[in-house]
C-alpha cells in the first residue's frame, strides 16, 4: 500500500536540492528528543544566539519594523536570523530553549518562502545565486514544517506552554502546509503527480510522528491532488483515470479517518463531497473503457 510506510517515514529533503554545507550543518545539529531535558540549564550562548536572531527577524517582521525596507535587506536579515536560530538550536540543551529555537526556525522559514514568492529574481544565500525556484520555495516550507512539528512535540511536555502558544504554532504550521500545497500545484519541476504525492506523504509522516493536530491537512491534500489528476484524465485516458480514481478512494478514506480523529466534521463533509465527485468520474471512466473494449 502507498500509505503503509507513512508512520516510518522520516522527514527529509532527498527529493529537493540542498547545498552540501546546509545539509552537513543540519545533520550535525540533529538530535533526538530523548537527549533534550526539560530540567537542565542551557548555555547562555544559546539564549544570546536566539536573542540576536530575534533582533534580525523582528527588524523585518516585527510590529516596529521600518516600512519600505528594500527586499534585499529583508532577505539578508531573514537569512541571518535563521542562521542565528540554527546556532541556538545546536547549542541548546534544555527543552525550553529547544522549543523556542524550533518555533523561531519554523516561522522564519515561512517568511523566507514568502520572500522567495514575492521576489523570485533575488539571490538567496541558502540556495546559491539565481536559485529562487519553486523547488527551493518547497524546500523552505519543508524545513519550516519539520521544525514546527518538533516544537509542537516538545511543547506538549512543557506545562508553561499554554493553549494560546500551541494555537499560534498550529497557525504557522497550517500556513506552511497550505503554501506547500500551492507550490506543488504551481511547479512543473515535479511533473509526475506521484512525486508530488510522495512529498505530501513525507509531510504526513512528520505530522504523525509528532502527533500534530492539523495532520488532517496533508491527508486531505493527498486526496485532492489525486482527485484533480484523475479528473484531468477525463476523456483522455479512461484506463488510467479509473486506476487513479480507485487509488483516490484510499486517500479519501485515510483523510476522513484523520479528520474524525481530530473532530473536524466540516472537513469530513468536504471529503464526502470529493468522494461523490470521484464516483462520478470513476463511472465515466468505466463507461469509456467499456465502450472502447466493446469495439474490438
Amino acid at each position: 500500500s502507498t500509505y503503509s510506510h507513512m508512520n516510518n517515514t522520516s522527514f527529509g529533503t532527498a527529493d529537493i536540492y540542498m547545498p552540501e554545507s546546509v545539509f552537513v550543518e543540519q545533520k550535525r545539529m540533529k538530535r533526538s528528543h530523548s537527549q533534550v531535558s526539560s530540567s537542565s540549564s542551557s548555555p547562555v550562548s544559546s539564549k544570546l544566539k536566539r536573542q540576536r536572531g530575534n533582533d534580525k527577524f523582528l527588524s523585518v517582521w516585527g510590529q516596529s519594523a521600518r516600512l519600505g525596507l528594500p527586499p534585499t535587506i529583508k532577505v539578508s536579515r531573514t537569512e541571518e536570523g535563521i542562521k542565528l536560530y540554527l546556532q541556538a538550536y545546536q547549542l541548546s540543551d534544555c527543552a525550553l530553549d529547544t522549543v523556542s529555537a524550533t518555533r523561531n526556525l519554523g516561522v522564519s522559514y515561512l517568511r523566507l518562502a514568502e520572500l522567495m514568492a514575492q521576489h523570485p529574481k533575488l539571490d538567496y544565500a541558502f540556495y546559491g545565486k539565481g536559485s529562487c525556484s519553486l523547488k527551493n520555495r518547497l524546500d523552505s516550507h519543508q524545513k519550516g514544517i519539520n521544525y514546527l512539528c518538533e516544537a509542537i512535540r516538545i511543547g506538549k511536555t512543557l506545562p508553561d506552554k499554554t493553549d494560546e502558544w500551541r494555537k499560534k504554532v498550529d497557525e504557522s504550521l497550517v500556513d506552511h502546509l497550505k503554501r506547500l500545497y500551492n507550490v506543488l500545484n504551481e511547479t512543473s519541476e515535479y511533473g509526475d503527480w506521484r512525486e508530488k504525492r510522495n512529498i505530501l506523504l513525507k509531510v504526513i509522516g512528520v505530522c504523525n510522528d509528532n502527533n500534530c493536530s492539523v495532520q488532517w491537512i496533508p491527508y486531505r491534500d493527498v486526496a485532492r491532488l489525486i482527485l484533480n489528476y484523475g479528473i484531468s484524465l477525463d476523456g483522455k485516458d479512461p484506463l488510467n483515470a479509473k486506476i487513479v480514481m480507485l487509488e483516490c478512494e484510499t486517500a479519501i478514506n485515510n483523510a476522513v479517518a484523520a479528520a474524525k480523529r481530530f473532530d473536524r466534521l466540516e472537513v469530513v463533509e468536504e471529503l464526502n463531497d470529493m468522494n461523490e465527485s470521484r464516483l462520478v468520474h470513476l463511472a465515466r471512466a468505466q463507461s469509456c473503457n467499456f465502450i472502447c473494449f466493446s469495439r474490438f
Side-chain angles (χ1 to χ4, degrees):
S1 171
T2 302
Y3 301 87
S4 62
H5 68 285
M6 285 194 300
N7 287 334
N8 296 321
T9 302
S10 60
F11 188 88
T13 50
D15 299 297
I16 54 181
Y17 167 76
M18 186 193 301
E20 183 65 19
S21 59
V22 176
F23 176 79
V24 171
E25 182 181 20
Q26 288 200 335
K27 186 175 181 181
R28 177 166 51 85
M29 291 187 302
K30 192 66 178 174
R31 67 186 69 198
S32 66
H33 179 47
S34 61
Q35 293 175 311
V36 181
S37 167
S38 60
S39 60
S40 61
S41 60
S42 60
V44 176
S45 57
S46 175
K47 294 180 180 179
L48 284 176
K49 292 290 185 182
R50 196 171 70 250
Q51 289 169 357
R52 290 171 184 168
N54 288 342
D55 290 341
K56 293 292 183 181
F57 182 82
L58 294 176
S59 70
V60 177
W61 303 103
Q63 293 182 350
S64 60
R66 183 166 64 85
L67 296 176
L69 281 175
T72 51
I73 293 180
K74 289 184 177 181
V75 170
S76 64
R77 290 183 183 178
T78 301
E79 290 186 322
E80 287 170 10
I82 290 175
K83 290 177 183 177
L84 289 163
Y85 290 144
L86 285 169
Q87 292 169 12
Y89 178 64
Q90 177 189 2
L91 294 169
S92 65
D93 64 356
C94 81
L96 284 172
D97 279 352
T98 302
V99 79
S100 296
T102 50
R103 182 193 174 188
N104 290 344
L105 282 165
V107 174
S108 297
Y109 273 114
L110 176 62
R111 297 307 178 202
L112 182 62
E114 183 179 320
L115 287 171
M116 294 173 79
Q118 294 173 351
H119 308 289
K121 295 184 179 180
L122 295 181
D123 293 333
Y124 293 80
F126 284 3
Y127 298 102
K129 187 174 182 180
S131 57
C132 183
S133 63
L134 290 170
K135 202 172 188 178
N136 291 331
R137 280 170 55 195
L138 184 65
D139 175 68
S140 279
H141 285 305
Q142 287 182 299
K143 287 188 176 79
I145 289 167
N146 190 22
Y147 285 117
L148 287 175
C149 286
E150 184 174 356
I152 288 170
R153 172 171 54 82
I154 299 174
K156 290 177 180 178
T157 68
L158 302 174
D160 67 323
K161 295 303 178 186
T162 63
D163 290 341
E164 183 63 26
W165 180 89
R166 294 183 178 89
K167 181 181 177 182
K168 289 181 178 180
V169 179
D170 279 348
E171 287 174 353
S172 297
L173 180 55
V174 168
D175 203 353
H176 262 304
L177 292 170
K178 288 181 177 179
R179 290 171 186 252
L180 180 139
Y181 181 74
N182 290 338
V183 172
L184 285 175
N185 282 332
E186 287 179 52
T187 182
S188 59
E189 294 178 62
Y190 291 100
D192 190 335
W193 68 276
R194 294 177 182 85
E195 292 181 71
K196 297 179 180 181
R197 176 201 60 192
N198 290 342
I199 290 169
L200 290 171
L201 291 181
K202 288 184 178 183
V203 173
I204 288 175
V206 173
C207 290
N208 282 350
D209 289 344
N210 293 282
N211 195 27
C212 299
S213 62
V214 298
Q215 62 185 254
W216 57 267
I217 294 177
Y219 274 107
R220 181 198 60 188
D221 289 345
V222 168
R224 290 166 63 190
L225 178 76
I226 297 175
L227 178 63
N228 290 337
Y229 178 69
I231 292 174
S232 73
L233 298 175
D234 202 357
K236 302 175 183 176
D237 189 348
L239 180 59
N240 277 324
K242 177 182 175 181
I243 294 171
V244 171
M245 287 305 179
L246 290 174
E247 178 170 345
C248 185
E249 180 181 11
T250 302
I252 289 175
N253 289 340
N254 286 333
V256 167
K260 287 182 176 178
R261 195 157 59 243
F262 295 97
D263 297 322
R264 299 305 298 256
L265 299 183
E266 77 283 3
V267 178
V268 174
E269 291 181 8
E270 176 188 352
L271 291 163
N272 288 337
D273 291 341
M274 288 171 57
N275 194 47
E276 289 183 10
S277 176
R278 181 191 72 83
L279 290 171
V280 169
H281 289 279
L282 175 62
R284 190 175 298 167
Q286 290 172 327
S287 175
C288 288
N289 279 320
F290 175 77
I291 294 172
C292 290
F293 283 114
S294 66
R295 291 175 178 173
F296 293 95

